[in-house]
């Protein structure tokens, strides 16, 4: 061994480089050899990483010994090293592992060829190699820029550079050498405006370090310079700014571009879809969420329709509250005619959505809202129970505290008054419980409408007493409340990336990296507000008044898999609580730091922030001793320095983004661990990547096992081949009772300042009463909105999971003990407790929830044997339930139709 050591000592430096297939010479990493060998060992049932490391060391030694006499500089090719791996494995008697490695090489070659075909490239760069094929397909289909012949003109690396460069331009313009938050400077605005005529001349001429500004970056530079100069905040003229950039005086911002680039390339964070599509590109529109006003006059209605078309064209989705429109049959004084009602005007927007594609790439999405007091509410509730109606809309009923009080009235008086939108005079009375029953029945039938709880949305709204008043509308998926003409920029942190291995091989969460990502992502999203090219002037004004951002997460299911923590467990809920608190606290803290150097959002002094009010329910509703962070100190900092963004956290739908990041959607549990895809040449399985690795490490990865899981609704529950500990950890949406879906959303909602896109999944055998109880529990847990999806509730069943159920009682799920205890100890509304008691009893919970906390008494459990859910049916080939991009079938997740083939999402956020 001494001789080997001497050999390594004298030659190791000679193998510090390796020649890639495209001819590039890059740093040599022995760990890549170890990892490749380990994968081959795992595939043959020998998951031994120390052995992989020893074999990799021998590969290096043999490579050096064969090359030593031939040259003094050893730069082996990738193929040389891979050939040597095969040789070493065979020498060691690991013929099966060698065979697996050869197959691995072959598969890798096929993958490389497929990637080059997707991207229309002759070779791949490091980013292309890091992204899997599904990610590249999504990027190629929707995100990468194309020329007039529809040929791809950039790769993922160039896309991320394009976005990162634009985002960093905002940092450059706020450099203290040229920007003064206090104002008082006068510059010649027309000097900067003149450069709008020179965009083509300056495209690619200026650079920040190694990153060049294209003409759209340059356009954004002009636009935001003018904005700051109009507020007296630019210390230098525009020509002087250009001189500073040209002379390299701003090259230190190359590091910031690199930080944003690495944040996205690592897929630690991804911004919403319009930002990836349009940053540094012609459209320049970077927001996903918009809300428009719909006043009760024809001019206002037509303006809203025109503005909606411009938003769809630029890549956004629209939410509109139609409650101010007079009801059907009401008198129209100007014509002596009668009004056609809100739903008729929804048809206008629906038609516009049909004919205007978002950025030429996808159809828009809409949220139509009618408040419960409107005389047309019952017609609105049942509108989508018929096929083919409002296909481009999600619809929701907005409720306020007066409706809630009528609903839960302890005296049994559930009368609720409908009012004229025009005069606010009473029109007639209805029974609040009958209306909630109608809403629940419609949602049971068609998955719509949802409910939006405007009382919860506005309870901690710090702008409610400013000139904006209460919030009354949301974006298409309901997670983002907005004022009229306000927009929001969203982005999601990939939680599954923030783990590190401990000595024992298990994973732990990396809280330090999580904090760094939250802070950098907050700056990223704030910069997007300044770099955005808004489709309508009113949107630019309203957005910059509040500077609302929405930082959220994705990948919670995969993170919990890695940490071996069941989603619907006490540990799971407590961990989610910490994650949620961190994202809001740290983003707000970073927003305060931004306010110190760039200024608070313009409406700050008119809001209740100056009184110490913040839009975070958890601060008020959870005991301070349970808080992880010092919120009182943060509030004092806000009162002193202001805050840059009026709201900072939102959990958006991440259907497409999670495909790019190769992780689970948002806060959802996975909808299936394995599902089968049939194509003309055969069939193959999609498998959750974390679950796949665990199967392989435990010698369970076979086609037979995958088939059984796919035929078991994509779940491992009840399969004798799968160990109990794996069944407990790897839970899917169908394994989790709907009360736990609501609980998970409620845990996150306590800390998220905006709202959350999540679907409350229910099996096909639930009743409309279950749906109603989901609404009741959601309101009491503080949710701001709720969407329920009962399997089979669409007119033509959406493809959920293929195959037949192999165990009839496999999915007789019941609420977790955590939910039952939480309801007993925290829900004070007697009517809700009574309704939930029925649910717990029918679900077979061992002890019922006690209605009277003063006299707790366990009641006898009643076992109710529900029929097993029926196998999911494949929907008919209708256009509405097929992907408009690739014609594949859609699934429902996070309240949106999502294509698992190309990444199309019915919502604009992700």
């Amino acid at each position: 061994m001494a001789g080997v050591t001497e050999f390594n000592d004298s030659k190791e430096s000679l193998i510090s480089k390796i020649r890639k297939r495209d001819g590039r010479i890059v740093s040599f990493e022995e760990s890549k050899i170890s990892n490749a060998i380990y994968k081959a060992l795992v595939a043959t049932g020998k998951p031994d990483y120390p052995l992989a490391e020893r074999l990799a060391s021998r590969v290096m030694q043999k490579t050096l010994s064969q090359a030593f006499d031939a040259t003094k500089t050893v730069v082996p090719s990738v193929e040389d090293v891979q050939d040597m791996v095969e040789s070493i494995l065979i020498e060691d008697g690991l013929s099966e592992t060698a065979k697996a490695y050869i197959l691995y090489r072959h598969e890798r070659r096929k993958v490389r060829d497929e990637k080059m075909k997707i991207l229309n490239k002759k070779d791949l760069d490091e980013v292309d190699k890091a992204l899997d094929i599904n990610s590249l397909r999504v990027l190629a289909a929707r995100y990468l820029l194309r020329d007039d012949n529809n040929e791809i003109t950039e790769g993922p690396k160039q896309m991320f550079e394009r976005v990162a460069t634009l985002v960093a331009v905002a940092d450059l313009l706020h450099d203290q050498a040229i920007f003064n938050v206090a104002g008082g400077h006068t510059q010649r605005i027309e000097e900067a405006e003149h450069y709008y005529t020179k965009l083509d001349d300056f495209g690619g001429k200026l650079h920040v370090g190694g990153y060049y500004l294209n003409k759209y970056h340059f356009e954004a530079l002009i636009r935001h310079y003018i904005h700051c100069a109009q507020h007296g905040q630019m210390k230098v003229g525009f020509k002087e700014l250009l001189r500073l950039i040209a002379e390299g005086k701003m090259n230190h911002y190359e590091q910031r571009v690199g930080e944003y680039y690495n944040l996205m390339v690592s897929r630690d964070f991804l911004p919403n879809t319009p930002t990836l599509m349009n940053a540094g590109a012609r459209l320049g529109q970077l927001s996903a969420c918009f809300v428009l006003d719909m006043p009760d006059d024809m001019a206002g209605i037509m303006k809203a329709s025109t503005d909606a078309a411009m938003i769809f064209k630029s890549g956004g989705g629209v939410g509109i509250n139609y409650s101010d429109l007079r009801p059907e049959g009401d008198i129209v004084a100007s014509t002596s005619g009668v009004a056609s009602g809100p739903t008729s005007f929804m048809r206008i927007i629906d038609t516009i959505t049909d004919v205007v594609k978002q950025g030429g790439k996808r159809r828009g999405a809409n949220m139509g809202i009618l408040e419960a007091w409107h005389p047309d509410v019952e017609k609105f509730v049942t509108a989508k129970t018929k096929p083919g109606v409002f296909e481009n809309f999600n619809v929701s009923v907005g409720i306020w505290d007066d409706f809630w009080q009528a609903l839960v009235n302890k005296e049994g008086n559930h009368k609720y008054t409908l009012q004229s939108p025009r005069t606010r005079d009473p029109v007639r009375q209805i029974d609040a419980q009958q209306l909630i029953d109608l809403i629940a029945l419609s949602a049971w039938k068609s998955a719509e409408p949802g409910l939006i709880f405007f009382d919860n949305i506005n309870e901690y709204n710090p702008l409610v007493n400013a000139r904006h008043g209460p919030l009354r509308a949301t974006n298409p998926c309901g997670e983002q409340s907005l004022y009229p003409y306000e927009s929001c920029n969203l982005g999601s942190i990939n939680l599954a990336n923030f783990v590190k291995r401990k000595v024992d091989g298990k994973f732990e969460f990396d809280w330090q990296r999580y904090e760094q990502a939250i802070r950098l992502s907050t700056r990223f999203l704030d910069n997007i507000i300044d770099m955005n090219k808004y489709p309508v002037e009113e949107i630019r004004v309203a957005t910059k008044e509040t500077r609302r951002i929405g930082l959220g997460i994705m990948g919670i299911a995969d993170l919990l898999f890695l940490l071996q923590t069941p989603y619907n467990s006490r540990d799971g809920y407590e961990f989610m609580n910490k994650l949620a608190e961190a994202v809001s606290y740290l983003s707000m803290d970073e927003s305060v730091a931004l306010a110190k150097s760039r200024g608070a959002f313009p409406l700050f002094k008119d809001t209740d922030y100056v009184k110490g009010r913040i839009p975070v329910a958890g601060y008020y509703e959870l005991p301070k001793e349970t808080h992880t962070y010092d919120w009182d100190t943060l509030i004092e900092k806000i009162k002193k320095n202001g805050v840059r963004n009026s709201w900072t956290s939102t959990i958006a739908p991440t259907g497409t983004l999670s495909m790019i990041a190769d992780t689970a959607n948002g806060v959802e549990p996975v909808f299936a661990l394995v599902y089968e895809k049939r194509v003309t040449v055969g069939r193959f399985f999609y498998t959750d990547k974390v679950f796949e690795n665990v199967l392989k490490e435990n010698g369970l990865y076979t086609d037979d096992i995958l088939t059984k899981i796919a035929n078991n609704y994509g779940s491992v529950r009840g399969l004798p081949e799968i160990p109990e500990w794996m069944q407990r950890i790897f839970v899917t949406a169908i394994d989790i009772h709907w009360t736990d879906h609501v609980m998970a959303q409620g845990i996150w909602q306590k800390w998220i300042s905006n709202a959350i896109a999540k679907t409350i999944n229910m099996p096909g055998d639930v009743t409309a009463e279950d749906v109603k109880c989901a609404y009741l529990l959601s309101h009491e847990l503080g949710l701001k909105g709720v969407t329920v999806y009962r399997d089979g509730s669409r007119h033509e069943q959406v493809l959920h999971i293929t195959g037949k159920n192999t165990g009839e009682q496999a999915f007789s799920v019941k609420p977790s003990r955590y939910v039952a205890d939480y309801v007993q100890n925290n829900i004070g509304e007697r009517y809700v407790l009574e309704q939930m008691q029925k649910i717990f009893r029918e679900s077979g919970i061992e002890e019922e929830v006690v209605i009277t906390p003063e006299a707790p008494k366990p009641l006898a459990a009643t076992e109710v044997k529900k029929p097993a859910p029926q196998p999911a049916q494949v929907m008919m080939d209708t256009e509405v339930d097929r992907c408009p991009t690739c014609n594949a079938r859609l699934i429902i997740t996070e309240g949106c139709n999502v294509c698992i083939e190309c990444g199309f999402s019915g919502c604009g956020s992700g």
Side-chain angles (χ1 to χ4, degrees), residues 385-574:
T385 57
K386 301 174 184 177
V389 178
F390 300 130
E391 294 173 357
N392 300 303
F393 268 89
N394 293 328
V395 296
S396 290
V397 176
I399 71 168
W400 296 86
D401 188 61
D402 60 341
F403 178 83
W404 182 254
Q405 294 307 319
L407 182 66
V408 301
N409 185 278
K410 295 179 176 60
E411 277 68 51
N413 179 13
H414 304 297
K415 294 298 181 184
Y416 182 66
T417 301
L418 304 184
Q419 306 170 37
S420 165
R422 204 161 36 89
T423 64
R424 289 295 177 166
D425 292 335
V427 174
R428 59 188 170 93
Q429 285 193 323
I430 62 170
D431 187 292
Q433 292 200 348
Q434 289 182 4
L435 180 59
I436 202 74
D437 286 342
L438 180 64
I439 294 170
L441 180 61
S442 295
W444 182 89
K445 288 180 178 179
S446 65
E448 294 199 71
L451 279 186
I452 297 176
F453 303 120
F454 284 128
D455 51 348
N456 288 344
I457 286 173
N458 287 290
E459 184 169 7
Y460 303 112
N461 175 3
L463 272 66
V464 75
N465 293 316
R467 66 176 182 265
H468 282 61
L471 286 156
R472 294 182 58 209
T474 78
N475 72 323
C477 283
E479 82 279 5
Q480 188 62 72
S481 305
L482 295 169
Y483 286 109
Y485 284 98
E486 198 181 4
S487 68
C488 190
N489 305 298
L490 310 178
S492 302
I493 290 174
N494 178 10
L495 292 175
N497 274 12
F498 292 86
V499 292
K500 53 186 178 183
R501 277 191 185 269
K502 298 186 289 185
V503 176
D504 61 4
K506 293 184 178 181
F507 290 99
E508 66 179 348
F509 192 71
D510 192 335
W511 290 98
Q512 182 178 1
R513 279 194 61 233
Y514 186 43
E515 175 172 347
Q516 292 168 348
I518 291 170
R519 292 187 181 280
L520 186 59
S521 300
T522 300
R523 287 180 171 266
F524 185 114
L525 292 177
D526 182 68
N527 285 358
I528 290 296
I529 296 172
D530 295 328
M531 294 295 98
N532 209 340
K533 187 176 182 179
Y534 296 94
V536 178
E537 175 62 16
E538 290 94 332
I539 293 173
R540 183 190 70 81
V541 173
T543 300
K544 290 197 172 185
E545 278 187 338
T546 59
R547 300 192 67 89
R548 186 195 301 253
I549 62 172
L551 179 60
I553 59 92
M554 55 183 163
I556 183 63
D558 281 337
L559 172 62
L560 292 172
F561 288 164
L562 288 166
L563 299 178
Q564 298 190 6
T565 303
Y567 184 99
N568 54 334
S569 66
R570 177 176 294 276
D571 288 345
Y573 289 135
E574 289 177 352

Side-chain angles (χ1 to χ4, degrees), residues 318-320 322 346 366-370 380 393-397:
V318 173
I320 298 176
Y322 292 86
M346 286 176 63
N366 300 285
M367 171 66 81
I369 299 168
L370 202 70
F380 177 84
F393 268 89
N394 293 328
V395 296
S396 290
V397 176

Side-chain angles (χ1 to χ4, degrees), residues 204 255 277 293 313 444 526 585 593 744 784 872 892 910:
Q255 179 180 352
M277 284 182 174
D293 199 13
K313 180 182 177 182
W444 182 89
D526 182 68
Y585 177 89
K784 297 181 178 181
I892 290 183

Side-chain angles (χ1 to χ4, degrees), residues 765-798:
D765 64 324
V766 298
T767 66
E769 191 71 16
D770 287 278
V771 176
K772 181 178 81 171
C773 287
Y775 293 153
L776 298 175
L777 181 59
S778 295
H779 182 274
E780 288 300 271
L781 291 182
L783 270 60
K784 297 181 178 181
V786 60
T787 300
V788 170
Y789 177 68
R790 179 184 67 85
D791 193 31
S793 60
R794 288 292 166 101
H795 310 299
E796 302 294 349
Q797 170 64 48
V798 175

Side-chain angles (χ1 to χ4, degrees), residues 111-119 128-129 131 136:
V111 167
R112 286 195 300 273
D113 291 344
E114 180 66 17
K115 286 182 175 182
M116 288 188 285
K117 181 179 178 181
I118 291 168
L119 297 173
D128 303 330
K129 293 173 183 176
L131 295 168
L136 292 179

Side-chain angles (χ1 to χ4, degrees), residues 681-743:
V681 296
R683 64 177 191 171
F684 60 92
F685 296 102
Y686 283 132
T687 308
D688 179 86
K689 65 175 183 177
V690 180
F691 179 62
E692 180 178 322
N693 289 336
V694 171
L695 284 179
K696 289 178 177 177
E697 289 175 0
N698 288 272
L700 295 171
Y701 188 79
T702 66
D703 281 347
D704 182 55
I705 288 291
L706 297 182
T707 300
K708 287 185 177 180
I709 297 170
N711 288 339
N712 196 44
Y713 296 107
S715 168
V716 294
R717 182 173 294 235
L719 296 182
E721 298 89 344
I722 303 297
E724 187 280 332
W725 69 268
M726 287 177 64
Q727 294 190 36
R728 183 175 60 87
I729 291 168
F730 288 94
V731 292
T732 68
I734 202 170
D735 296 326
I736 298 170
H737 195 270
W738 65 258
T739 55
D740 282 281
H741 280 279
V742 176
M743 188 76 241

